[in-house]
Amino acid sequence: MGELVGFLACTMSAGVAQIGLGLRPDRTGRGLGGSFLSAAIDWLDGRFAPRELTLAVAAFNQRAITVYERVGFRTVRTFRHRTNGAEWDFVEMRR
């Protein structure tokens, strides 16, 4: 109890919630992503009622992309982003 297992960050602008979220690495691959994401969306809907949700995910993170697609996110574009000392392909998704 009281153990951090994930995070949710949100920035609201003009009714759009830009979110960032993640599970602790040792909690991934256990089928928890969908329920974690659904709980985050339910909380955001109750607290801010956004008309749209957006997120960005590393293009190589296919497991996360699959989870996002299962709850209704769709790819809107890909882009390059510099992080952790290198440039990576990212996918922007919206719901």
Side-chain angles (χ1 to χ4, degrees):
M1 188 89 164
E3 183 180 5
L4 180 66
V5 295
F7 72 90
L8 169 67
C10 175
T11 302
M12 288 292 302
S13 178
V16 177
Q18 183 178 14
I19 63 172
L21 67 162
L23 285 173
R24 201 170 70 193
D26 66 326
R27 300 295 174 129
T28 63
R30 297 182 180 188
L32 302 173
S35 59
F36 176 69
L37 180 56
S38 293
I41 291 170
D42 289 346
W43 183 83
L44 288 164
D45 285 345
R47 180 81 185 220
F48 302 109
R51 63 177 170 75
E52 187 174 51
L53 300 170
T54 72
L55 59 81
V57 58
F60 65 78
N61 194 346
Q62 190 57 54
R63 284 194 318 195
I65 291 169
T66 298
V67 170
Y68 301 146
E69 289 174 338
R70 284 185 184 150
V71 299
F73 282 86
R74 296 294 172 247
T75 297
V76 294
R77 72 179 179 116
T78 59
F79 62 96
R80 301 280 290 170
H81 179 67
R82 185 163 185 79
T83 186
N84 296 329
E87 278 200 12
W88 302 92
D89 290 327
F90 275 75
V91 176
E92 181 183 345
M93 303 182 82
R94 292 182 187 258
R95 176 179 187 263

